[in-house]
Amino acid sequence: MSMSSTASRTAELAQSADEGAILAARPLALPASLWASGPAIFASLAWIGFGLSCLLWEDLGDWSRTHELAIAAFVIAAGILVAAPNALRLGRFGKGLQLRAPWLLALGLFFTLWEVATAKFAWLPLPFFPPPQAIIEVYTDDLPKLLVSVWASVKLQLGGYAIGAAAGFLTGVSIGWSRSVGYWVHPILRFIGPLPATAWLPFAFFTFPSSWSASTFLIALATAFPVTVLTWSGVASVSNAYYDVARTLGAKPSFLVLKVAIPAALPHVFVGLFMGLGSSFAVLVVAEMIGVKAGLGWYLQWAQGWAAYANMYAALIVMSLLCSGAITLLFKTRDRLLVWQKGVVKW
Amino acid sequence: MVALAIAEQELPAAAGASLDVEAVSHAFDIDGAVLPVLDNVSFSVKASEFVALLGPSGCGKSTLLRLVAGLEPPRAGILREDGDPIAGPFPSRVVVFQDPTLLPWRTVWHNVALGPEAQGILKQQRHRVDAAIDLVGLSTFRNAYPHQLSGGMAQRVALARALVNDPRILILDEPLGKLDSLTRITMQAEIAALWQRSGFTTLLVTHDVEEAVFLANRVIVFSDRPARIKADIAVDRPYPRHRGDPKLVELRHEILGLLGLDATW
Ligand SMILES: Nc1ncnc2c1ncn2[C@@H]1O[C@H](COP(=O)(O)OP(=O)(O)OP(=O)(O)O)[C@@H](O)[C@H]1O
Ligand SMILES: [Mg+2]
């Protein structure tokens, strides 16, 4: 990490000094292409193995997508095999493939093992450990319900998180900036903040007009606490020297808040946003399970009620994709807003 | 530096303001104890005069500059700019602090643009920002972030950030302290030329006696904390000056003696 950041810094500087051309001449990677596609070839073999494992033995259960799964595995294997030697010509995609070849290999092996251990020989007890084709079956046959659930969850989470983040940010800036606001809000924050947002569930569900507004409130609450505390500590820890500089240059209080305090506090704010995201996911799922009757949490609950374990796993996978997608998005936003931090701190 | 000729047109001369420091005393409370820092300091600086302040480390020079800038009110006494009491910071009095304190999230250009932006006149002054950056020789680094600069470069950015505001009183707190001796000599000549051209009043704190006598019309020497004025010495030599000027060398010895350093000579 530190090496690559040093490199990018050097590159930036060189560019500003109009010396970019010298750095741009990078070494040719051609002779390495054959050697580099080794892991990809093994990955391809592993996926062929997965496909074969689907076809070689009879399924122990009644699953309808085994053949499709095998075909998909062969397609992936062929794709890897074709792409690997041409990685250089495929640009970014090729580079990504080369980088991820060991992972593709591991995944191929894992799927093979999973297939054999569940669908073929039931080394793992069957209803609780569904095979890959059972999960695929959920995605193909129960798609509408799953999509509706995803959409409900995303809507609820997005609304609650946005409200919580905005409220937390504003509160944090106000108590960090103004002593009198801090005097009143700080004790309240201290008293209420550490309470897990889920503890409010019963209260929220009978005071709010709808379960949707109650859940939005809870998610916002779970987000707001860490965002408030970290924004506040960020604003409070801004060096006085920055304010002095700005004041001697004619800055009014609004400029000090918007152009000095907030940018300086932004790294802290993002820590708060990350923490808020984590705790709001937890609240989302619980709220959906208990009150909302829609969304992925509810889908999980429903699947468990019907002992539809494949549906449960399918929903879990979607959920983890959504959560990690949200985190990635937040990381990308931070990287864009805080370019100046690169080289100041190690990420 | 090459940029000088351009800068001459870009940074129009502003008349300097006079500064009066009248019986100023100041102190800090540290853990309940009172630490006196300035003790009944009085002096006047005429418009467009260049005054250097010398004194032992920790005697209260930076504190005095903060009072002149209006960042703090003095515990006793009064400071006046052109006869009007100084009640708070104002961009006619700009400080180059001992630390460059560039805002790390802003590029060089946006750091220099801070003053015009804060005063809401950046739109009309963009070319002046460019000119000020050229003046300190950092035009190739206008898009660099502070952490990508050397200490000396950062100090030059801080200087540009001050100059772009066309100050009437320029307050310099060891602005060249972090520069290597070569850049330092160039920058001293640069400051002298700039001061003569623009006519702002200059207050310079430095530890370098040679720098003080080379640049200033007057050198004020402070005692140990709490700072009192120990001597007020006129440097009556025409500009441009030469470092080897025997009169300047003589003054330098006299001042070193006042600072208690004659044993080294
Ligand atoms: N904000 C503050 N709170 C308490 N004491 C302070 C504060 N600022 C400065 N002091 C004290 O005032 C004294 C004078 O500090 P000042 O920074 O003015 O010294 P200085 O003459 O500029 O020294 P140097 O040449 O080393 O920069 C020091 O003893 C310092 O400890
Ligand atoms: Mg100082």
Side-chain angles (χ1 to χ4, degrees):
Chain A
M1 176 68 235
S2 78
M3 249 176 65
S4 75
S5 85
T6 321
S8 72
R9 198 187 334 167
T10 329
E12 275 167 43
L13 278 182
Q15 209 174 21
S16 57
D18 288 346
E19 288 166 1
I22 299 164
L23 273 169
R26 55 177 94 83
L28 285 175
L30 235 157
S33 95
L34 220 94
W35 184 85
S37 54
I41 289 167
F42 281 108
S44 177
L45 287 177
W47 282 85
I48 290 173
F50 173 41
L52 288 177
S53 76
C54 292
L55 302 178
L56 235 46
W57 298 278
E58 274 301 305
D59 279 347
L60 291 179
D62 180 23
W63 297 294
S64 57
R65 302 287 170 191
T66 313
H67 280 92
E68 284 90 336
L69 185 62
I71 291 167
F74 290 136
V75 169
I76 290 172
I80 299 172
L81 206 57
V82 172
N86 300 316
L88 278 180
R89 250 172 290 159
L90 291 172
R92 265 187 61 181
F93 173 75
K95 201 143 181 227
L97 183 74
Q98 243 172 31
L99 212 66
R100 289 180 183 83
W103 259 108
L104 285 172
L105 170 61
L107 274 179
L109 293 176
F110 170 74
F111 280 129
T112 314
L113 195 68
W114 181 9
E115 177 69 29
V116 174
T118 53
K120 305 306 179 187
F121 297 102
W123 295 327
L124 297 168
L126 245 182
F128 308 109
F129 293 94
Q133 53 264 51
I135 290 171
I136 298 290
E137 205 176 315
V138 174
Y139 289 135
T140 52
D141 297 7
D142 202 22
L143 190 63
K145 197 165 171 194
L146 207 53
L147 280 182
V148 168
S149 300
V150 166
W151 177 234
S153 286
V154 168
K155 239 180 10 187
L156 189 58
Q157 167 71 22
L158 225 55
Y161 185 71
I163 293 171
F169 178 75
L170 290 178
T171 327
V173 171
S174 330
I175 53 183
W177 185 254
S178 154
R179 229 170 260 267
S180 55
V181 176
Y183 173 82
W184 289 106
V185 179
H186 185 194
I188 299 176
L189 208 62
R190 230 193 209 178
F191 187 64
I192 292 177
L195 210 60
T198 39
W200 291 87
L201 257 167
F203 162 80
F205 277 111
F206 74 74
T207 28
F208 278 80
S210 65
S211 61
W212 179 81
S213 56
S215 321
T216 304
F217 165 74
L218 290 176
I219 292 168
L221 196 68
T223 310
F225 178 60
V227 175
T228 305
V229 171
L230 275 135
T231 305
W232 164 34
S233 85
V235 170
S237 65
V238 178
S239 160
N240 269 328
Y242 294 149
Y243 295 130
D244 285 348
V245 166
R247 282 170 64 213
T248 57
L249 294 174
K252 290 170 205 53
S254 62
F255 187 91
L256 294 182
V257 177
L258 295 174
K259 298 295 178 94
V260 180
I262 289 177
L266 221 48
H268 288 252
V269 176
F270 269 99
V271 177
L273 287 172
F274 279 112
M275 290 167 57
L277 198 57
S279 52
S280 67
F281 284 148
V283 176
L284 171 76
V285 174
V286 175
E288 283 177 343
M289 282 180 170
I290 293 182
V292 186
K293 304 283 175 248
L296 283 171
W298 167 80
Y299 188 95
L300 270 178
Q301 182 94 332
W302 166 86
Q304 193 224 13
W306 287 96
Y309 295 104
N311 295 57
M312 229 172 69
Y313 287 105
L316 269 180
I317 291 170
V318 172
M319 202 183 269
S320 95
L321 285 178
L322 283 177
C323 293
S324 68
I327 296 267
T328 310
L329 203 68
L330 196 55
F331 262 112
K332 287 256 150 70
T333 317
R334 184 196 70 168
D335 291 0
R336 174 152 299 191
L337 279 176
L338 300 184
V339 254
W340 59 272
Q341 267 215 316
K342 273 194 176 157
V344 179
V345 294
K346 270 216 180 88
W347 282 3
Chain B
M1 289 181 195
V2 201
L4 268 182
I6 309 162
E8 197 149 19
Q9 304 146 15
E10 299 288 332
L11 298 170
S18 67
L19 173 74
D20 297 296
V21 178
E22 297 169 7
V24 164
S25 297
H26 200 63
F28 290 107
D29 298 316
I30 297 180
D31 287 336
V34 177
L35 178 80
V37 174
L38 297 173
D39 181 16
N40 198 18
V41 174
S42 297
F43 63 93
S44 293
V45 182
K46 290 197 286 282
S48 302
E49 203 177 9
F50 195 132
V51 173
L53 309 178
L54 280 172
S57 176
C59 75
K61 304 179 297 291
S62 298
T63 307
L64 178 62
L65 295 192
R66 285 179 65 82
L67 301 183
V68 174
L71 288 169
E72 278 170 58
R75 293 259 170 118
I78 194 165
L79 297 104
R80 296 176 192 277
E81 177 189 11
D82 263 352
D84 301 323
I86 291 173
F90 195 78
S92 67
R93 284 168 272 120
V94 185
V95 193
V96 178
F97 290 93
Q98 204 162 356
D99 267 344
T101 40
L102 303 178
L103 306 184
W105 57 89
R106 286 178 166 239
T107 59
V108 165
W109 196 92
H110 282 100
N111 263 290
V112 175
L114 193 66
E117 193 182 329
Q119 296 154 42
I121 49 172
L122 182 58
K123 270 226 174 84
Q124 305 89 284
Q125 305 233 319
R126 303 184 72 88
H127 64 285
R128 293 177 47 95
V129 175
D130 295 331
I133 293 172
D134 284 349
L135 181 68
V136 294
L138 287 177
S139 26
T140 46
F141 284 90
R142 72 182 67 222
N143 293 323
Y145 284 98
H147 70 84
Q148 296 168 320
L149 305 176
S150 71
M153 285 155 80
Q155 200 61 269
R156 273 144 69 196
V157 175
L159 190 61
R161 180 175 64 186
L163 291 175
V164 82
N165 297 284
D166 238 342
R168 302 190 66 208
I169 301 181
L170 182 63
I171 302 162
L172 302 169
D173 197 349
E174 293 183 49
L176 310 182
K178 281 191 182 156
L179 302 187
D180 63 283
S181 53
L182 279 175
T183 320
R184 197 180 167 107
I185 288 172
T186 326
M187 287 300 290
Q188 283 171 0
E190 203 72 43
I191 288 177
L194 201 70
W195 163 67
Q196 281 192 291
R197 220 174 34 239
S198 321
F200 44 69
T201 309
T202 310
L203 222 51
L204 168 77
V205 164
T206 175
H207 278 136
D208 182 347
V209 181
E210 183 187 321
E211 181 172 291
V213 296
F214 178 72
L215 288 172
N217 298 123
R218 263 165 72 201
V219 178
I220 296 179
V221 182
F222 288 101
S223 71
D224 231 328
R225 191 185 60 234
R228 251 175 262 118
I229 294 184
K230 211 169 179 182
D232 190 336
I233 299 160
V235 186
D236 204 5
R237 303 298 286 169
Y239 297 87
R241 292 174 176 171
H242 301 281
R243 274 159 224 280
D245 185 337
K247 183 78 206 300
L248 293 187
V249 176
E250 195 182 306
L251 271 174
R252 196 170 131 207
H253 283 221
E254 185 188 334
I255 293 168
L256 281 170
L258 281 166
L259 290 169
L261 284 173
D262 31 0
T264 57
W265 285 83

